[in-house]
């Protein structure tokens, strides 16, 4: 499978949905109240790698990495978010989430 092809494996579809939801969440974080924003960021930092790890286990690491790579360069359209008391550019947060997902997949190899 090439990087532009997508897998129809249910685990990869779940990963795709999780990545899409995470990207949309990062793009709208600045619209959330501070206390809710922190919970959303914490959820994104744990849920995406968890789903990526399961996808690697069920569908194979190569398919999971290919799906993560499809999302890795997605442009985040918002500026900054508050994460653990510090202002973090949304692009850095998104990069961190994608990188952590890739690390979770690598741990399954």
């Amino acid at each position: 499978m090439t990087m532009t092809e997508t897998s129809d494996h249910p685990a990869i579809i779940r990963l795709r949905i999780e990545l899409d939801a995470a990207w949309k969440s990062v793009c709208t974080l600045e619209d959330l109240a501070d206390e809710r924003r922190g919970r959303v960021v914490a959820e994104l930092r744990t849920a995406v790698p968890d789903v990526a790890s399961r996808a690697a286990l069920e569908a194979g690491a190569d398919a999971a990495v290919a799906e993560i790579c499809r999302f890795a360069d997605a442009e985040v359209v918002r500026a900054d978010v508050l994460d653990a008391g510090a202002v973090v550019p949304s692009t850095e947060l998104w990069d961190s989430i994608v990188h952590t997902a890739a690390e979770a997949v690598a741990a399954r190899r």
Side-chain angles (χ1 to χ4, degrees), residues 11-90:
I12 298 301
I13 293 169
R14 281 191 302 273
L15 176 58
R16 184 176 309 135
I17 292 167
E18 189 71 28
L19 286 164
D20 184 59
W23 179 82
K24 289 174 182 172
S25 295
V26 168
C27 290
T28 61
L29 278 173
E30 70 181 12
D31 298 333
L32 296 177
D34 289 345
E35 63 278 354
R36 183 164 165 99
R37 186 181 307 122
R39 286 181 292 196
V40 170
V41 169
E43 175 67 19
L44 294 173
R45 289 186 182 276
T46 58
V48 176
D50 182 54
V51 172
S53 177
R54 282 187 273 141
L57 181 64
E58 295 175 23
D62 290 341
V65 167
E67 194 62 33
I68 292 167
C69 287
R70 288 182 61 236
F71 281 85
D73 292 329
E75 183 180 346
V76 178
V77 295
R78 300 293 179 154
D80 299 332
V81 296
L82 191 64
D83 181 23
V87 175
V88 177
S90 295

